[in-house]
């Protein structure tokens, strides 16, 4: 497996610092830009030698954290992850069966909104309408694909993407958006912050062709949404994508997930403390780099504390000092 590594401002002065590799997501998604901005903050603060790396998203980031972290060499894999993926990894479920990931939360970042993206002229209005269409479920084996298949199985009994989709793609959001814009795809699944750059660009390209983006609504009372919320109790919530975000005709009810920035339990407490301190003392830089990061605040940073995945003790110490961990 190959990854694109983005090295941000590494210098000789950082040579003896712990090496922190930050798994993100694909180019075009918020994770990639958020992780790159965090790496830049950490390097400028001089607390670690940080690198942000493109990856397949939450599941791959958690596997790297579990399998590639090497405390003896001072190498720690952190990452941006969805909370249901974090819970799955921590409890040793699904792809982590028998080998749970020893992860800890450093801070909660911002909410992801689930997108089922299509066009107004596609005729797709509910999940069942995806039967017989050309659909992408995102990266193979990723948490978005897992969420998509769970929703579709609740909408169509006996669902099998190889049988129920006319064409089944498993590509990143940027490629999905391009394929839909060019007429080679009817719809795709995505989970990301608002706005997600690739979908914003797609809305613009469709408008220039006289078309309009449509997001399939996922109302709270619908069976698929209830099924996913029961699968991940306390982790999955509901919200609304306002029509002004992508210039859709209507506000769209959908699922929401608060993303977490995670690290291995083996990350030294002093390093974890210094990393969290650096990020939260440089929030304006993060906000300037990534629009959804506006929801990364001290108050929101601890909103996952009631869940099953624990926070790192270094992070807890910082949040106690700031008065938000009570």
């Amino acid at each position: 497996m190959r990854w694109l590594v983005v090295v941000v401002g590494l210098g000789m002065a950082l040579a003896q610092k712990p090496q922190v590799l930050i798994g993100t997501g694909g180019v075009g998604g918020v994770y990639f830009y958020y992780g790159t901005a965090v790496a830049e903050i950490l390097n400028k603060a001089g607390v670690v030698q940080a690198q942000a790396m493109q990856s397949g998203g939450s599941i791959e980031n958690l596997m790297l954290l579990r399998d590639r972290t090497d405390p003896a060499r001072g190498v720690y894999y952190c990452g941006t992850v969805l909370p249901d993926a974090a819970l799955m990894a921590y409890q040793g479920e699904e792809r982590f069966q028998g080998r749970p990931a020893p992860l800890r939360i450093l801070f909660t970042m911002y909410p992801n909104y689930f997108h089922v993206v299509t066009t107004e002229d596609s005729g797709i209005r509910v999940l069942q309408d995806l039967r017989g269409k050309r659909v992408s479920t995102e990266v193979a084996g990723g948490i978005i694909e897992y969420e998509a298949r769970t929703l579709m199985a609740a909408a169509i009994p006996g669902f099998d993407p190889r049988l129920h989709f006319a064409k089944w793609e498993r590509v990143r959001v940027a490629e999905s958006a391009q394929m839909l814009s060019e007429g080679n795809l009817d719809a795709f699944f995505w989970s990301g912050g608002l706005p997600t750059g690739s979908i914003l660009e797609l809305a613009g390209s469709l408008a220039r062709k006289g078309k309009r983006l449509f997001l399939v609504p996922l109302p709270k009372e619908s069976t698929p949404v209830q099924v996913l919320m029961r699968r991940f109790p306390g982790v999955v919530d509901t919200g609304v994508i306002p029509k002004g975000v992508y210039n859709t005709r209507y506000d769209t009810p959908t699922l929401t997930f608060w993303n977490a920035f995670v690290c291995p339990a083996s990350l030294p407490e002093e390093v974890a403390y210094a990393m969290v301190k650096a990020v939260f003392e440089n929030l304006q830089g993060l906000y300037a780099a990534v629009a959804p990061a506006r929801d990364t605040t001290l108050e929101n940073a601890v909103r996952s504390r009631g869940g099953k995945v624990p926070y790192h003790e270094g992070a807890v110490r910082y949040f106690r000092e700031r008065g938000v961990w009570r």
Side-chain angles (χ1 to χ4, degrees):
M1 196 172 293
R2 301 173 66 185
W3 301 282
L4 170 67
V5 177
V6 181
V7 183
V8 188
L10 301 183
M12 292 300 291
L14 292 175
Q16 304 305 314
K17 301 287 184 182
Q19 185 178 8
V20 171
L21 295 103
I22 302 171
T24 61
V27 174
V30 178
Y31 276 5
F32 178 78
Y33 303 107
Y34 192 105
T36 300
V38 169
E40 183 173 357
I41 288 170
L42 296 177
N43 284 327
K44 284 183 176 178
V47 295
V48 294
Q49 175 180 317
Q51 299 177 8
M53 47 192 288
Q54 179 181 309
S55 75
S58 300
I59 297 293
E60 186 175 323
N61 295 343
L62 289 159
M63 288 184 167
L64 288 167
L65 180 153
R66 181 191 66 186
D67 301 336
R68 297 291 189 90
T69 292
D70 187 352
R73 294 175 51 234
V75 176
Y76 303 92
Y77 279 79
C78 297
T80 51
V81 302
L82 279 159
D84 45 351
L87 182 61
M88 188 185 292
Y90 182 72
Q91 296 186 154
E93 299 171 346
E94 302 293 338
R95 295 185 67 189
F96 297 89
Q97 187 70 42
R99 292 190 62 209
L103 70 144
R104 296 291 184 269
I105 296 172
L106 281 186
F107 56 91
T108 305
M109 303 190 300
Y110 61 89
N112 259 23
Y113 291 76
F114 202 81
H115 299 57
V116 185
V117 184
T118 185
T119 60
E120 283 196 345
D121 61 1
S122 69
I124 299 167
R125 295 295 179 267
V126 295
L127 291 176
Q128 288 86 344
D129 293 335
L130 293 172
R131 186 195 298 262
K133 302 295 186 180
R134 301 165 299 171
V135 181
S136 174
T137 56
E138 246 286 323
V139 175
I143 189 62
I144 297 174
E145 180 180 86
Y146 180 88
E147 294 161 354
R149 296 184 68 159
T150 300
L151 290 168
M152 289 303 300
I156 301 176
F159 172 74
D160 184 335
R162 292 162 294 190
L163 301 176
H164 290 98
F165 292 154
K167 185 179 182 182
W168 181 27
E169 297 284 359
R170 305 164 94 181
V171 297
R172 299 181 191 276
V173 61
E175 187 175 349
S176 291
Q178 182 176 350
M179 291 175 68
L180 195 148
S181 177
E182 294 172 350
N184 298 318
L185 199 67
D186 298 309
F188 63 90
F189 289 86
W190 170 247
S191 180
L194 298 182
T196 292
S198 292
I199 300 176
L200 197 61
E201 291 172 10
L202 170 62
S205 71
L206 289 173
R208 290 190 290 274
K209 298 174 184 178
K211 298 185 177 184
R212 196 166 197 164
L213 191 80
F214 182 80
L215 300 175
V216 176
L218 298 172
K220 185 174 183 177
E221 64 274 10
S222 66
T223 298
V225 168
Q226 288 297 313
V227 166
L228 197 64
M229 290 181 74
R230 285 196 298 269
R231 171 67 181 86
F232 297 104
V235 169
V236 181
D237 204 347
T238 54
V240 172
I241 301 176
K243 61 185 179 182
V245 175
Y246 302 114
N247 193 33
T248 52
R249 200 176 300 275
Y250 313 103
D251 292 343
T252 306
T254 193
L255 292 155
T256 62
F257 313 75
W258 276 85
N259 297 286
F261 193 96
V262 300
C263 66
S266 58
L267 185 72
E269 180 178 340
E270 290 300 324
V271 176
Y273 174 89
M275 287 173 62
V276 175
K277 180 181 173 67
V279 170
F280 284 88
E281 289 186 354
N282 293 278
L283 286 177
Q284 293 307 313
L286 187 59
Y287 296 165
V290 193
R294 62 185 178 274
D295 288 314
T296 301
T297 65
L298 275 170
E299 292 73 21
N300 284 336
V302 300
R303 66 182 299 133
S304 302
R305 63 177 297 191
K308 294 183 179 180
V309 181
Y311 275 71
H312 196 288
E313 58 271 20
V316 173
R317 177 155 66 92
Y318 177 78
F319 294 132
R320 280 197 175 121
E321 287 180 1
R322 296 301 303 271
V324 293
W325 190 282
R326 293 182 283 272

Coordinates of all heavy atoms in Angstrom, one line a residue, residues 153-193:
A153 N -28.8 -1.8 3.3 CA -29.3 -3.1 3.7 C -30.7 -2.9 4.5 O -31.6 -3.7 4.4 CB -28.4 -3.8 4.6
A154 N -30.8 -1.7 5.2 CA -32.0 -1.4 5.9 C -33.1 -0.9 4.9 O -34.3 -1.1 5.2 CB -31.7 -0.4 7.0
A155 N -32.6 -0.4 3.8 CA -33.6 0.2 2.8 C -34.1 -0.9 1.8 O -35.2 -0.9 1.4 CB -33.0 1.3 2.0
I156 N -33.2 -1.8 1.5 CA -33.5 -2.9 0.5 C -33.1 -4.2 1.1 O -31.9 -4.6 1.2 CB -32.7 -2.7 -0.8 CG1 -33.0 -1.3 -1.4 CG2 -32.9 -3.8 -1.8 CD1 -32.2 -1.0 -2.7
P157 N -34.1 -5.0 1.5 CA -33.8 -6.4 2.0 C -32.9 -7.2 1.1 O -33.1 -7.3 -0.1 CB -35.2 -7.0 2.2 CG -36.1 -5.8 2.3 CD -35.5 -4.8 1.4
G158 N -31.9 -7.9 1.7 CA -31.0 -8.7 1.0 C -30.1 -7.9 0.1 O -29.5 -8.4 -0.9
F159 N -29.8 -6.7 0.4 CA -29.0 -5.8 -0.4 C -27.6 -6.3 -0.7 O -26.9 -6.8 0.2 CB -28.9 -4.4 0.3 CG -27.9 -3.5 -0.4 CD1 -28.2 -2.9 -1.7 CD2 -26.6 -3.3 0.1 CE1 -27.3 -2.1 -2.3 CE2 -25.7 -2.4 -0.5 CZ -26.1 -1.8 -1.8
D160 N -27.2 -6.3 -1.9 CA -25.9 -6.7 -2.4 C -25.5 -5.6 -3.5 O -26.2 -5.6 -4.5 CB -25.9 -8.1 -3.0 CG -24.5 -8.5 -3.4 OD1 -23.6 -7.7 -3.6 OD2 -24.2 -9.8 -3.4
P161 N -24.5 -4.8 -3.2 CA -24.1 -3.8 -4.2 C -23.8 -4.3 -5.6 O -24.0 -3.7 -6.6 CB -22.9 -3.1 -3.6 CG -22.4 -4.1 -2.6 CD -23.6 -4.8 -2.1
R162 N -23.3 -5.6 -5.6 CA -23.0 -6.2 -7.0 C -24.2 -6.5 -7.7 O -24.2 -6.6 -9.0 CB -22.1 -7.4 -6.7 CG -20.7 -7.1 -6.2 CD -20.1 -8.3 -5.6 NE -20.8 -8.8 -4.4 CZ -20.3 -9.7 -3.6 NH1 -19.1 -10.3 -3.8 NH2 -21.0 -10.0 -2.5
L163 N -25.3 -6.7 -7.0 CA -26.6 -7.1 -7.7 C -27.5 -5.9 -7.9 O -28.2 -5.8 -8.9 CB -27.3 -8.2 -6.9 CG -26.5 -9.5 -6.7 CD1 -27.4 -10.4 -5.8 CD2 -26.3 -10.1 -8.0
H164 N -27.6 -5.0 -6.9 CA -28.6 -4.0 -6.8 C -28.1 -2.7 -7.5 O -28.9 -1.8 -7.8 CB -29.0 -3.7 -5.4 CG -29.9 -4.8 -4.9 ND1 -29.3 -5.8 -4.0 CD2 -31.2 -5.1 -5.0 CE1 -30.3 -6.7 -3.7 NE2 -31.4 -6.3 -4.3
F165 N -26.8 -2.5 -7.7 CA -26.3 -1.3 -8.4 C -26.0 -1.7 -9.8 O -25.4 -2.8 -10.1 CB -25.0 -0.8 -7.8 CG -25.2 -0.1 -6.4 CD1 -24.1 -0.1 -5.5 CD2 -26.4 0.4 -6.0 CE1 -24.3 0.5 -4.2 CE2 -26.6 1.0 -4.8 CZ -25.5 1.0 -3.9
A166 N -26.3 -0.8 -10.8 CA -26.0 -1.1 -12.2 C -24.5 -1.1 -12.3 O -23.9 -1.9 -13.1 CB -26.6 -0.1 -13.1
K167 N -23.8 -0.3 -11.6 CA -22.3 -0.2 -11.6 C -21.9 0.2 -10.2 O -22.4 1.2 -9.6 CB -21.8 0.8 -12.6 CG -20.3 0.8 -12.7 CD -19.9 1.8 -13.8 CE -18.4 1.9 -14.0 NZ -18.0 2.9 -15.0
W168 N -21.0 -0.6 -9.6 CA -20.6 -0.3 -8.2 C -19.1 0.2 -8.2 O -18.2 -0.5 -8.6 CB -20.7 -1.6 -7.4 CG -20.3 -1.4 -5.9 CD1 -20.3 -0.3 -5.2 CD2 -19.7 -2.4 -5.1 NE1 -19.8 -0.5 -3.9 CE2 -19.5 -1.8 -3.8 CE3 -19.5 -3.8 -5.2 CZ2 -19.0 -2.6 -2.7 CZ3 -19.0 -4.5 -4.1 CH2 -18.7 -3.9 -2.9
E169 N -18.9 1.4 -7.8 CA -17.6 2.0 -7.8 C -17.2 2.2 -6.3 O -18.1 2.3 -5.4 CB -17.6 3.4 -8.4 CG -17.9 3.4 -9.9 CD -16.8 3.0 -10.8 OE1 -15.7 2.6 -10.2 OE2 -16.9 2.9 -12.0
R170 N -15.9 2.2 -6.1 CA -15.4 2.3 -4.7 C -14.2 3.3 -4.8 O -13.0 2.9 -4.7 CB -15.0 1.0 -4.1 CG -16.1 0.0 -4.1 CD -15.7 -1.4 -3.9 NE -15.7 -1.8 -2.5 CZ -15.3 -3.1 -2.1 NH1 -14.8 -3.9 -3.0 NH2 -15.4 -3.4 -0.8
V171 N -14.5 4.6 -5.0 CA -13.5 5.6 -5.3 C -13.6 6.7 -4.3 O -14.6 6.9 -3.7 CB -13.5 6.1 -6.7 CG1 -13.2 4.9 -7.7 CG2 -14.9 6.7 -7.1
R172 N -12.5 7.5 -4.2 CA -12.5 8.7 -3.3 C -13.5 9.8 -3.7 O -13.9 9.8 -4.9 CB -11.1 9.2 -3.2 CG -10.1 8.2 -2.7 CD -8.7 8.9 -2.6 NE -7.6 8.0 -2.4 CZ -7.3 7.5 -1.1 NH1 -7.9 8.0 -0.1 NH2 -6.3 6.7 -1.0
V173 N -13.7 10.6 -2.8 CA -14.7 11.7 -3.0 C -14.4 12.6 -4.2 O -15.3 12.9 -5.0 CB -14.9 12.5 -1.7 CG1 -13.7 13.2 -1.3 CG2 -16.1 13.6 -1.9
A174 N -13.1 12.9 -4.4 CA -12.8 13.8 -5.5 C -13.1 13.1 -6.8 O -13.6 13.7 -7.8 CB -11.3 14.2 -5.4
E175 N -12.7 11.8 -6.9 CA -13.0 11.1 -8.2 C -14.5 10.9 -8.4 O -15.0 11.0 -9.5 CB -12.3 9.8 -8.1 CG -12.3 9.0 -9.5 CD -11.5 7.7 -9.5 OE1 -10.7 7.5 -8.6 OE2 -11.7 6.9 -10.4
S176 N -15.2 10.6 -7.3 CA -16.7 10.4 -7.4 C -17.3 11.7 -7.9 O -18.2 11.6 -8.8 CB -17.3 10.1 -6.0 OG -16.9 8.8 -5.6
A177 N -16.9 12.8 -7.4 CA -17.5 14.1 -7.8 C -17.2 14.4 -9.3 O -18.1 14.8 -10.0 CB -16.9 15.2 -6.9
Q178 N -16.0 14.0 -9.7 CA -15.7 14.3 -11.1 C -16.5 13.3 -12.0 O -17.0 13.8 -13.1 CB -14.2 14.0 -11.3 CG -13.7 14.3 -12.8 CD -12.2 14.1 -13.0 OE1 -11.5 14.0 -12.0 NE2 -11.8 14.1 -14.2
M179 N -16.6 12.1 -11.6 CA -17.4 11.1 -12.4 C -18.9 11.5 -12.5 O -19.5 11.4 -13.6 CB -17.3 9.7 -11.8 CG -15.9 9.1 -11.9 SD -15.8 7.5 -11.1 CE -16.9 6.5 -12.1
L180 N -19.4 12.0 -11.4 CA -20.8 12.5 -11.4 C -21.0 13.7 -12.3 O -21.9 13.8 -13.1 CB -21.3 12.7 -10.0 CG -22.8 12.9 -9.9 CD1 -23.3 12.4 -8.5 CD2 -23.3 14.3 -10.0
S181 N -20.0 14.6 -12.2 CA -20.1 15.8 -13.1 C -20.0 15.5 -14.5 O -20.7 16.1 -15.4 CB -18.9 16.7 -12.7 OG -18.9 17.9 -13.5
E182 N -19.2 14.4 -14.9 CA -19.1 14.1 -16.3 C -20.1 13.1 -16.8 O -20.1 12.7 -17.9 CB -17.7 13.4 -16.5 CG -16.5 14.4 -16.2 CD -15.2 13.7 -16.2 OE1 -15.1 12.5 -16.2 OE2 -14.2 14.4 -16.2
G183 N -21.1 12.7 -15.9 CA -22.2 11.8 -16.3 C -21.8 10.4 -16.3 O -22.6 9.5 -16.8
N184 N -20.7 10.0 -15.6 CA -20.3 8.6 -15.5 C -20.7 7.9 -14.2 O -20.3 6.8 -13.9 CB -18.8 8.5 -15.7 CG -18.4 9.0 -17.0 OD1 -19.0 8.7 -18.0 ND2 -17.3 9.8 -17.1
L185 N -21.5 8.7 -13.3 CA -21.9 8.2 -12.0 C -23.2 8.8 -11.7 O -23.5 10.0 -12.1 CB -20.9 8.5 -11.0 CG -20.9 7.7 -9.6 CD1 -20.5 6.3 -9.9 CD2 -19.9 8.3 -8.6
D186 N -24.1 8.1 -11.1 CA -25.4 8.6 -10.7 C -25.5 9.2 -9.3 O -26.3 10.1 -9.0 CB -26.5 7.6 -10.9 CG -26.7 7.1 -12.3 OD1 -26.8 7.9 -13.2 OD2 -26.6 5.8 -12.5
A187 N -24.7 8.6 -8.4 CA -24.8 9.0 -7.0 C -23.5 8.5 -6.3 O -22.9 7.5 -6.7 CB -26.0 8.5 -6.3
F188 N -23.2 9.1 -5.2 CA -22.1 8.6 -4.3 C -22.4 8.9 -2.9 O -23.1 9.9 -2.5 CB -20.7 9.1 -4.8 CG -20.5 10.5 -4.7 CD1 -20.0 11.1 -3.6 CD2 -20.7 11.4 -5.8 CE1 -19.7 12.5 -3.5 CE2 -20.5 12.7 -5.7 CZ -19.9 13.3 -4.6
F189 N -21.8 8.1 -2.0 CA -21.9 8.3 -0.6 C -20.6 9.0 -0.1 O -19.5 8.7 -0.6 CB -22.0 6.9 0.1 CG -23.3 6.2 0.0 CD1 -23.5 5.4 -1.1 CD2 -24.3 6.4 0.9 CE1 -24.7 4.8 -1.3 CE2 -25.5 5.7 0.8 CZ -25.7 4.9 -0.3
W190 N -20.8 9.8 0.9 CA -19.7 10.6 1.5 C -20.0 11.0 2.9 O -21.2 11.3 3.2 CB -19.3 11.8 0.6 CG -18.3 12.7 1.3 CD1 -18.6 14.0 1.7 CD2 -17.0 12.4 1.6 NE1 -17.4 14.5 2.3 CE2 -16.4 13.6 2.2 CE3 -16.2 11.3 1.4 CZ2 -15.1 13.6 2.6 CZ3 -14.8 11.4 1.8 CH2 -14.3 12.5 2.4
S191 N -19.0 11.1 3.8 CA -19.2 11.7 5.1 C -18.1 12.7 5.3 O -16.9 12.3 5.2 CB -19.1 10.6 6.2 OG -19.3 11.1 7.5
G192 N -18.5 13.9 5.6 CA -17.4 14.9 5.7 C -17.9 16.2 6.3 O -19.1 16.4 6.6
G193 N -17.0 17.1 6.6 CA -17.4 18.4 7.2 C -18.1 19.3 6.2 O -18.1 19.0 4.9

